[in-house]
Amino acid sequence: MGPKHVALGVGGFVLGALAAWAVLPTYQKNPAWKPGAFDKRVNELMAQGHSEDSARRIAASIGRQKYGQAEMTHRSQMGKKAAKKGRS
């Protein structure tokens, strides 16, 4: 393998990393972001083959069963407010 092949391999790796970064949801691009229980559940569901939208809906449904509609609405509002301020 010559330098041309090494450069192509490194370039492909960098391009793949950038593509993976672009696919991440916006909240995960924050280096201080740590997944909460909701995000962990969404990631588990996505690993099982659900789309992100479907996984978020399923996780919200599970949360509503566990905490009730009012508590999930409150948590959703707090999460949106934190995301708007760039805290999550």
Side-chain angles (χ1 to χ4, degrees):
M1 279 196 170
K4 184 177 183 182
H5 291 100
V6 172
L8 287 174
V10 171
F13 175 77
V14 170
L15 185 60
L18 289 174
W21 179 261
V23 172
L24 282 176
T26 308
Y27 59 88
Q28 290 184 355
K29 291 181 182 177
N30 181 350
W33 177 79
K34 294 179 185 166
F38 182 82
D39 293 320
K40 287 178 185 175
R41 176 69 68 170
V42 169
N43 291 336
E44 288 173 6
L45 291 166
M46 287 175 63
Q48 293 176 6
H50 293 279
S51 68
E52 183 179 4
D53 185 50
S54 171
R56 293 183 78 75
R57 289 172 188 255
I58 293 168
S61 173
I62 292 168
R64 278 193 298 275
Q65 289 175 355
K66 184 173 181 179
Y67 297 112
Q69 179 66 40
E71 179 65 22
M72 284 303 290
T73 301
H74 176 72
R75 288 174 183 232
S76 173
Q77 289 171 347
M78 298 309 291
K80 287 178 183 178
K81 185 184 285 187
K84 187 174 181 181
K85 291 183 178 183
R87 295 184 186 159
S88 60

